[in-house]
Amino acid sequence: MCSPEYFAVEYAINPWMDVTRPVDPELAVKQWDRLRETLVGLGHEVHLLAPEPGLPDMVYAANGAFSVDGTVYGARFKHHQRTAEAAAHRAFYESQGWRFIAPNETNEGEGDFAYLPEAHGGLILAGYGFRTELAAHAEAQEALGRPVISLRLVDPRFYHLDVALASIDDGNIVYYPGAFSAAGQKVLAQLFPDAVLAEAEDVLAFGLNLVSDGANVVLNSEATRLAGRLKAAGYTPVPVELAELKKGGGSVKCCIAELRH
């Protein structure tokens, strides 16, 4: 995770960003701290990436890389405003001794990649259409040695996979069908017949931008209906308030890069 010390909406590179809506930096840090404390309280270890001035979106740590079994496939951001973030993530992973593979293709890390180790023997779901290039999916497959399923995103509001789909345990997902092409919807229905399906109000509340340890699901507190669906499916919803960070087009998952050793 990376503190929102320098977080601001200084430009608009997704439909949620509005430069005329001021961000309360103090409140953003407070909400982010609460998220971090929630993870620690659930028994997880949180590593911190130092924020850098001039990179207001660094708080969205999920976008900087994608790791599977100790190998890291690095990010290459689409928009120049975020380009320099990739080097900070690479330096972190290399300092920790991870095997790092630099990308040639444009991709935004866990923003567009999700890993399910127990789904069909280990499967990567990958989004494209707005930020990550389709060619990056093949590059990730070569880098990580896991089959990649490409899913086309069709609604600009759901510009990253992690806004419309999330893994809720090692073999199952929650997703909003309307974010995907008709073919993508068929693929997901075939691969995950027991998936939890979300509605438009869930995804618009950034409810699908969540993290789950297989039992506890940490999600945006505004997604009350989705929390009910997850509880009915046997999970424990853990709501957190992230209204300030939503102003940049992200929520819980965007703030968390999962480290898969």
Side-chain angles (χ1 to χ4, degrees):
M1 296 180 70
C2 181
S3 168
E5 184 179 343
Y6 303 110
F7 175 64
V9 179
E10 299 174 349
Y11 45 78
I13 57 174
N14 68 58
W16 303 97
M17 300 176 90
D18 181 352
V19 296
T20 67
R21 289 180 70 207
V23 167
D24 182 335
E26 196 174 313
L27 182 56
V29 171
K30 190 174 181 180
Q31 292 176 347
W32 177 89
D33 271 332
R34 181 69 188 120
L35 173 60
R36 180 181 56 80
E37 290 164 3
T38 297
L39 295 174
V40 172
L42 291 171
H44 303 293
E45 182 181 0
V46 178
H47 297 258
L48 297 179
L49 181 66
E52 297 181 13
L55 296 175
D57 282 343
M58 267 191 80
V59 63
Y60 303 125
N63 302 153
F66 175 56
S67 65
V68 173
D69 292 340
T71 296
V72 182
Y73 174 56
R76 184 173 180 172
F77 289 88
K78 177 175 181 177
H79 295 286
H80 69 87
Q81 292 95 333
R82 300 194 65 184
T83 301
E85 293 178 41
H89 285 270
R90 178 173 187 167
F92 167 80
Y93 285 104
E94 290 184 337
S95 74
Q96 300 288 318
W98 292 66
R99 177 175 174 243
F100 186 92
I101 297 176
N104 292 311
E105 304 294 342
T106 299
N107 82 89
E108 299 199 348
E110 286 198 309
D112 276 320
F113 290 106
Y115 182 54
L116 291 103
E118 292 179 7
H120 308 279
L123 199 62
I124 295 171
L125 301 179
Y128 73 100
F130 297 102
R131 295 290 188 86
T132 294
E133 295 295 328
L134 183 58
H137 296 183
E139 190 173 62
Q141 180 168 279
E142 288 300 308
L144 301 169
R146 294 290 184 277
V148 175
I149 302 294
S150 297
L151 301 164
R152 185 162 67 90
L153 299 164
V154 296
D155 188 326
R157 295 173 299 175
F158 316 130
Y159 59 96
H160 271 156
L161 182 73
D162 71 0
V163 182
L165 178 150
S167 62
I168 44 176
D169 57 40
D170 286 345
N172 203 12
I173 62 171
V174 56
Y175 70 101
Y176 172 58
F180 300 92
S181 67
Q185 292 180 39
K186 288 180 180 178
V187 169
L188 287 170
Q190 181 178 332
L191 289 174
F192 302 98
D194 299 321
V196 176
L197 299 183
E199 296 185 6
E201 69 179 65
D202 301 320
V203 71
L204 292 171
F206 277 81
L208 291 176
N209 195 243
L210 59 81
V211 293
S212 173
D213 59 15
N216 305 290
V217 181
V218 183
L219 77 167
N220 195 294
S221 59
E222 294 178 35
T224 53
R225 180 177 292 204
L226 181 60
R229 289 183 176 216
L230 290 165
K231 189 172 184 178
Y235 301 91
T236 301
V238 183
V240 291
E241 170 62 54
L242 279 181
E244 288 307 297
L245 293 168
K246 247 181 79 179
K247 292 176 179 177
S251 188
V252 173
K253 174 58 198 167
C254 285
C255 293
I256 299 166
E258 295 178 54
L259 305 178
R260 301 179 187 88
H261 287 291

